[in-house]
Amino acid sequence: MADQETAAPGGHDHDHHPTGWRRWLFSTNHKDIGTMYIVLSMVGALVGGAMSFMIRLELMDPGIQFNLFGAGEEAAYFQFYNVLVTGHAFIMVFFVVMPAMMGGFGNWFVPLMIGAPDMAFPRMNNISFWLLASALVLLLVAAFTQGGPGTGWTVYPPLSSAEFHPGPAVDLGILSLHLAGASSVLGAINMITTIFNMRAPGMTIHRMPLFCWSILVTAFLLLMAMPVLAGGLTMLLTDRNFGTAFFEPSGGGDPVLWQHIFWFFGHPEVYIIILPGFGIVSQVVSTFSRKPIFGYLGMAYAMVFIGFVGFAVWAHHMYTTGLDADTRAYFVSASLVIAVPTGVKIFSWLATMWGGSISFRVPMMFACGFIFLFVMGGVTGVALANAGMDIAFHDTYFVVAHFHYVMAIAGVFAMFAGFYYWIGKMCGRQYPRVLARIHFWSFFIGVNVLFFPQHFSGMAGMPRRIPDYPDNYAGWNYVSSIGAFITTASTLLFFFIVWRTLSAGEKVPANPWGEGAKTLEWTVESPAPFHTFEELPDMTDKQAAE
Amino acid sequence: MGIFQLLMEKPWLPVEGEGEEPAEQRASSMESPHVGLRVFLAVATVLFTLFLVVYVERMTFPDWRPLSEPWVLWLNTLVLIISSAGFHWASVNAERGDLEGIKTGLLTAGVASFAFLAGQLWAWQLLVDLGYYDMANPAVGFFYLLTGVHGVHLLGGLVAWFRTSAKVKAEADMAQLRMSVGLCAVYWHFLLVVWLVLFGLLLLT
Ligand code: HEM
Ligand SMILES: [Cu+2]
């Protein structure tokens, strides 16, 4: 960091950039790095998606379907199932959604939107990416090491302790998360510095597009949350390897302490996933309603408020640990309070659309899908925030349905919205429209068939993280797995669309979306040239851009 | 402009005083590397705060068995102060553009830092000699954890120290040296403060 080169404006010849593998391995260009993040995210989506598909195949019918280890080896197979669940969650969270949002769209469009020539620390940007790529490799290695980590993404001890997970798999998993966390922290430092120091003249913080706001708030959440995860993981690592007893009950340690640490990270983590989605959806809704976002400042500060309160609600994941009544009452109220700024956001999006001349292009369809899913998950979330309800539903499929709606699938919809919105800017070619519409509808129907029935199996009491279940849960699980087939087919269609776009998409002008698209990235040609804004655009006389 | 000022900005109000220069463009008057470092320090602060909170919480349990800190820690504290002072000296001289002064400062700081790390290892050894090797005693576990994590941060800092020294050796541009030395100084002062807090807490218990 100390020896960051400060690029002289203009000056030397920038046009000969490295080519071939060097261009990517040593890249310091925010657009190239953004592209690499998006590719990483797609690779992650294939792996993590395949894992979830295997889970759904197993759960399609009661009984054990695919015991790869042979009769009598049920224990090994159950462990394998849990490794799938764990791997699916970590990959989707750390290697699909986060890299696409922060690393991919963040790297690509924050500098473009604020009129900066690049990120503040280009070389550190490169390091962040390769740290994340190594983390993914390490996680996959962990999955194939001696039984793999079957701890669930929450890594609760004593299940994750040396006693119940002997062997190096969990340690490798912890190291992988350490690397991923370091990558995120470096990325966050980069984003914050870029947004603070590199805005073009006149691009005041209150004129910044909401996507940049969302990335800024997310970066601050990463700063606060990631070190807490890292600290907890380090303590877990020493418990496992050096005989300390921070969480180890037999040595006087406290496993509930781990839960506090984990969820102090874990709850903000879901906002880290969804906030950039808020940002993307705001840009898209404004563009396709041809109106500035209703209540721009309210939208920005609602995100700031969500960020703050997000750190004060973690124990709503711990109602069954025997919190005392006052503590519980506090966490219930705090969790309900978050619904307020969230409601502000939903209201603003709807108000923006209201009376706007809406065109339902594919990005807008995904943005509306996002709003629908997020509201669905929000409703069950408000229900679960009440300790009484949660004690009944804790660890059932009701929770699985809730969080897939509110963060996982909503996050994926925001990613797709961003993808279709910006792909023309990124590669200079437009997506095939009809196929993209089919993609939207099949994905929308698929995920709802997949996750809606899980509310019912959850209410009937079906626990999560089990490969086998009694016959009375049979019906809805079958439906859910049908949904998984549709979703998987739709995802494959998406990859086909990516290929079609890159190979045969029609050429895109600088601004394909018309007058609704007001942010700076639409002022540069498509695809955005390797170097942009070497002469800073002057925004002094412009209105706030949404 | 500080962050609060920044957030209090009201660009939608008509600008007062026609013909004035537009408001300061940058959010902060600091150069980027300094902003980046400050943000990193915030991350490290969160990490150490977590450990401290957990430590204090754990102490309230009835089975807490405190340990007596080895005396070398006092010596180490002194050594760490010296290394921080060395960096201060180096950065003062960097402002002045005095290369010799920078060298003296960096050398002092580097030697003292290595001495500190050696001293910490020695403290670990003394602890074992005193019979505190039962890691399962949380007081012992925390002692190693806190000193270890602090040591790792210092070790990371030494990489920056090394690169800065290499630049001094190569007689790099003074503006660059000023930046590097300044960043190191800030980092070392931070680690000193962290250590004082940790050490104070260890002593109190
Ligand atoms: C698109 C297709 C997806 C499918 C079919 C799917 C399916 C599943 C299923 C069936 C489970 C529960 C397994 C069990 O408890 O036995 C699960 C767990 C989970 N999923 Fe997904 N999921 C999908 C996408 C995502 C995405 C995009 C994310 C995150 C951004 C995500 C995050 C999680 C998490 C955190 C868990 C909890 C794991 C645990 O219990 O430790 N999922 N998923
Ligand atoms: Cu939560």
Side-chain angles (χ1 to χ4, degrees), chain A residues 100-124:
Chain A
M101 301 276 200
M102 283 291 274
F105 297 138
N107 258 311
W108 251 99
F109 292 105
V110 166
L112 283 182
M113 283 178 160
I114 63 174
D118 205 313
M119 298 288 287
F121 306 114
R123 245 194 284 166
M124 195 165 90

Side-chain angles (χ1 to χ4, degrees), chain B residues 61-132:
Chain B
F61 285 33
D63 63 343
W64 183 257
R65 285 169 292 151
L67 82 178
S68 50
E69 284 73 27
W71 58 270
V72 256
L73 292 185
W74 287 99
L75 188 65
N76 291 348
T77 308
L78 188 69
V79 173
L80 193 62
I81 294 175
I82 294 176
S83 84
S84 205
F87 269 118
H88 186 66
W89 181 248
S91 73
V92 167
N93 279 290
E95 291 303 322
R96 277 202 223 118
D98 175 357
L99 197 63
E100 285 311 306
I102 300 181
K103 280 185 185 161
T104 322
L106 279 185
L107 193 66
T108 318
V111 171
S113 302
F114 279 111
F116 173 81
L117 287 178
Q120 294 292 77
L121 288 178
W122 186 15
W124 284 13
Q125 185 55 45
L126 284 183
L127 212 60
V128 173
D129 294 346
L130 283 172
Y132 291 114

Side-chain angles (χ1 to χ4, degrees), chain A residues 423-425 427-431 501-508 527:
Chain A
I423 184 65
K425 186 56 60 188
C427 76
R429 289 170 184 277
Q430 197 59 295
Y431 56 83
T501 308
L502 296 179
S503 61
E506 51 183 90
K507 294 259 191 295
V508 197

